[in-house]
Amino acid sequence: MSLLARRLTRAAAAAGATVRVEAHTSRAWASATFTGTRHALTLTGAASPALDAWLAGLRDAEFDTARELVADLALVERSGTGGAVVARIEALTVDVGG
């Protein structure tokens, strides 16, 4: 499991929600001054007020690490059936050394 996926599952647990990473793809990214990685993740979890609140606050969440900074994080799709929630998240992490 990637560092970002671990951070997300830990953050969800800290908010009282349990999520599972069903899929995660990543590709290298670079700008004129930064290098990093673009991520696409699919998470699943049991529908609950805690999961709803955690997903709603993702854009403003902060994750620390010595190696990379989460520069952008967005919930791009949320669906649910039969008490389960499927969330598709896209993120950009930027290398900061360490």
Side-chain angles (χ1 to χ4, degrees), residues 29-74:
W29 170 89
S31 71
T33 54
F34 299 103
T35 60
T37 307
R38 286 214 173 268
H39 304 266
L41 300 102
T42 302
L43 308 178
T44 59
S48 70
L51 180 57
D52 290 341
W54 180 72
L55 289 171
L58 269 180
R59 181 168 286 290
D60 298 323
E62 292 190 22
F63 301 96
D64 352 325
T65 181
R67 295 184 287 167
E68 59 187 17
L69 169 72
V70 178
D72 187 35
L73 183 71

Side-chain angles (χ1 to χ4, degrees), residues 24-30 35-40 90-93:
H24 178 210
T25 59
S26 60
R27 63 182 169 86
W29 170 89
T35 60
T37 307
R38 286 214 173 268
H39 304 266
E90 293 180 355
L92 171 64
T93 56

